[in-house]
Amino acid sequence: MAIGSFATDDRPATEFNGKITASVVITCIVAASSGLIFGYDIGISGGVTTMVPFLKKFFPSILKKAAEAKTNMYCVFDSQVLTSFTSSLYIAGLAASLVASRLTAAVGRKNTMVLGGCTFLAGAAINGGAVNIAMLILGRILLGFGVGFTNQATPVYLSELAPPKWRGAFSTGFQFFIGIGVVASNCINFGTSKHRWGWRVSLGLAVVPAAIMTTGALLISDTPSSLVERGKTEQARQALIKVRGTNENADAELADLIKCSEVAKAAQQEPFVTIFKRQHRPHLVLSIAVPFFQQVTGINIIAFYAPVLFQSVGFGNDSALIASIILGLVNLFSILCSTGMVDRYGRRFLFITGGTLMFLCQVAVAIVLAATTGASGEKHISKGYAILVLVLMCFYAAGFGWSWGPLSWLIPSEIFPMKIRPTGQSISVAVNFATTFVLSQTFLTMLCHFKFGTFLFYAGWIAAMTIFVVIFLPETKGIPLDSMYKVWEEHWYWRRFVQKQPQSTFD
């Protein structure tokens, strides 16, 4: 819930700075576990697409291309059908995100997560039993709907439930579970890669994280904000007492939430219309820019195709999978670093330092590949230089893990006022999926044609988005959700859009 006072024309008189209780910790961990399904899919698809039995059954042309003696190392896996296997999930996720805001408002954050888990579970079962490409794509579409629903509901849930002082740390939990899913899937791929039906096991085991997160979501309560929004006042009061560990100030905070909800409903405006109003221009711009920039760092593309990428630069199949596991572990550790730093040093500091490190690493990778493989890409990189590429990619993954990874889910979920929060998150997720689809569908072709220049392409975007953060991103550390209007009024640029508007956060 929005743990802060209601922003009326008179400004908030009281702030409810909730303490960390066992209930808050357990509930947020369970909710954040929704990230498992997204992370598992990110990691599993890249490894499966390097398995010979999988390629022999569905993509034999790639094996034929790989067997050619003089194949350009960057072009072995260039197949639009193969990339469709990966990217079809994101078209489905995009479609799901467009309806997820209404669904989240109507049935609650918790129930949306449950629906997402069930849909993902069905898709995993179909993929594990696939006998043709059509079944593969159908399974991926269902996975996409599941991820679309959970990625929309979970960050909002965490932001609303977490105490404002530690909201950043709690919200990074979602990205942490994404990281766990990536590492787990890479380990499973390594264990199954030599078996004839290994790809079926890898794809089918996605039912496990889906079952875990769905069961967990069924056991937790919805956020007080969502319960109030849906008229369940007494349930909201009980949820407040539970997460606070005391009934002190519960009635006052509940009254605050009810007032927020009543003002929002009194406006009687379509959220998708309201969000385009001038006073919400800063929110809208960031809800589009942040997820877009997260994807043009290239991280998910590298995660999808890490085994393919490492094979391309000289690793064998087993070595490529091990390299992917190492990359995932580095990312996971860096997310933990972000959890400890985000509420101490702030969002901007982590964005800027992470972006700088990622930029330097991408440029360095491009230089190493250009110097060792030649302009045509027909030279084979030595083992030593392949290891150097892995080391650079590990530093890159670390930079992402403490900055654009967790913070790109946090920022859109915390900047919006209550009545358009689900809508803002929906737009953010839709942009994320749309950008991911385009990049995942084009990455292998880009790698084939741009060669080492692909990494310079992403380095350019990383430079641009780091500059964007320096200029346009206000600091939101420790600010209650319903007092977030302050960051816009005090920002040198965004204040021109909000300073002459009515003082209510909910106008």
Side-chain angles (χ1 to χ4, degrees):
M1 59 179 227
I3 303 178
S5 57
F6 170 58
T8 63
D9 290 355
D10 297 322
R11 299 301 188 188
T14 307
E15 291 187 354
F16 304 101
N17 291 308
K19 298 180 293 184
I20 294 180
T21 63
S23 178
V24 167
V25 173
I26 294 171
T27 302
C28 286
I29 288 175
V30 171
S33 69
S34 298
L36 281 173
I37 60 175
F38 191 29
Y40 188 91
D41 181 80
I42 289 173
I44 213 71
S45 55
V48 165
T49 53
T50 65
M51 294 182 185
V52 173
F54 178 81
L55 294 174
K56 186 180 294 184
K57 184 172 181 63
F58 298 108
F59 308 99
S61 61
I62 292 178
L63 289 177
K64 181 179 179 181
K65 187 186 297 186
E68 295 176 2
K70 294 184 179 180
T71 299
N72 186 313
M73 58 166 273
Y74 294 106
C75 299
V76 171
F77 294 92
D78 182 18
S79 166
Q80 287 302 303
V81 180
L82 179 62
T83 51
S84 294
F85 166 73
T86 299
S87 62
S88 56
L89 180 146
Y90 298 95
I91 281 293
L94 171 61
S97 65
L98 294 177
V99 300
S101 65
R102 294 182 184 277
L103 190 66
T104 304
V107 304
R109 286 59 159 149
K110 165 190 169 176
N111 292 330
T112 303
M113 288 188 282
V114 171
L115 177 61
C118 292
T119 309
F120 190 94
L121 195 152
I126 291 174
N127 268 354
V131 295
N132 52 48
I133 291 179
M135 284 188 70
L136 279 180
I137 300 302
L138 174 62
R140 296 288 294 172
I141 289 172
L142 289 175
L143 296 178
F145 277 111
V147 171
F149 290 140
T150 56
N151 284 14
Q152 201 278 342
T154 304
V156 173
Y157 185 102
L158 293 171
S159 280
E160 289 184 342
L161 199 70
K165 185 176 180 180
W166 297 282
R167 186 173 60 245
F170 278 94
S171 294
T172 60
F174 182 63
Q175 183 69 27
F176 180 72
F177 275 98
I178 291 177
I180 291 177
V182 171
V183 172
S185 59
N186 284 331
C187 291
I188 290 170
N189 278 337
F190 180 73
T192 62
S193 61
K194 295 294 179 61
H195 299 281
R196 180 183 177 188
W197 300 107
W199 64 270
R200 288 194 185 278
V201 175
S202 291
L203 294 177
L205 279 178
V207 301
V208 175
I212 291 173
M213 65 81 48
T214 303
T215 302
L218 285 170
L219 297 176
I220 61 177
S221 63
D222 213 335
T223 67
S225 288
S226 178
L227 292 168
V228 167
E229 189 178 15
R230 292 180 288 134
K232 300 183 178 182
T233 306
E234 183 55 33
Q235 290 184 35
R237 184 177 184 277
Q238 294 303 317
L240 271 174
I241 294 173
K242 185 176 180 180
V243 299
R244 291 287 174 271
T246 176
N247 59 4
E248 183 181 356
N249 292 327
D251 289 333
E253 191 167 359
L254 178 62
D256 199 53
L257 288 172
I258 293 172
K259 191 173 182 181
C260 292
S261 179
E262 288 174 349
V263 171
K265 291 177 180 178
Q268 294 183 339
Q269 292 178 329
E270 168 61 42
F272 272 102
V273 174
T274 303
I275 202 170
F276 284 95
K277 288 189 173 183
R278 178 178 174 84
Q279 65 263 40
H280 297 308
R281 189 73 48 78
H283 313 74
L284 181 62
V285 169
L286 288 179
S287 71
I288 293 173
V290 170
F292 172 79
F293 283 141
Q294 183 198 44
Q295 291 310 308
V296 294
T297 61
I299 187 66
N300 274 351
I301 306 307
I302 290 169
F304 296 148
Y305 301 116
V308 171
L309 178 63
F310 287 127
Q311 278 197 35
S312 296
V313 298
F315 287 94
N317 186 52
D318 286 349
S319 298
L321 290 173
I322 292 174
S324 300
I325 294 172
I326 294 172
L327 204 62
L329 287 172
V330 170
N331 182 61
L332 197 59
F333 177 76
S334 64
I335 295 170
L336 287 176
C337 294
S338 178
T339 301
M341 294 190 295
V342 64
D343 291 315
R344 176 176 297 181
Y345 298 105
R347 284 65 160 149
R348 283 170 51 86
F349 173 79
L350 296 184
F351 269 129
I352 294 169
T353 55
T356 302
L357 179 59
M358 287 190 291
F359 171 79
L360 295 174
C361 289
Q362 290 284 52
V363 172
V365 168
I367 292 172
V368 171
L369 292 179
T372 56
T373 65
S376 65
E378 292 182 357
K379 295 180 182 179
H380 289 286
I381 189 171
S382 68
K383 183 178 180 180
Y385 282 111
I387 293 174
L388 176 58
V389 169
L390 173 60
V391 171
L392 290 170
M393 294 308 298
C394 284
F395 278 107
Y396 165 85
F400 179 86
W402 79 57
S403 61
W404 284 91
L407 301 186
S408 294
W409 297 106
L410 170 61
I411 295 298
S413 69
E414 69 179 359
I415 62 174
F416 285 97
M418 182 177 171
K419 75 170 182 177
I420 57 171
R421 194 172 298 144
T423 303
Q425 183 67 17
S426 179
I427 291 174
S428 180
V429 173
V431 172
N432 187 297
F433 281 136
T435 310
T436 305
F437 169 76
V438 173
L439 294 178
S440 62
Q441 189 65 31
T442 58
F443 175 71
L444 293 179
T445 299
M446 183 186 299
L447 186 64
C448 179
H449 291 87
F450 286 11
K451 303 176 179 61
F452 60 84
T454 302
F455 298 94
L456 294 178
F457 170 82
Y458 288 118
W461 279 111
I462 293 169
M465 65 200 219
T466 303
I467 294 171
F468 176 88
V469 166
V470 172
I471 298 175
F472 294 113
L473 183 70
E475 182 56 67
T476 55
K477 177 185 72 172
I479 299 175
L481 294 185
D482 294 337
S483 299
M484 198 63 70
Y485 61 86
K486 295 176 182 177
V487 303
W488 313 115
E489 293 179 344
E490 296 171 1
H491 190 270
W492 73 272
Y493 180 76
W494 297 124
R495 64 189 179 192
R496 71 184 64 185
F497 295 96
V498 299
Q499 64 180 355
K500 295 182 180 180
Q501 301 303 319
Q503 299 298 318
S504 172
T505 304
F506 302 95
D507 289 343

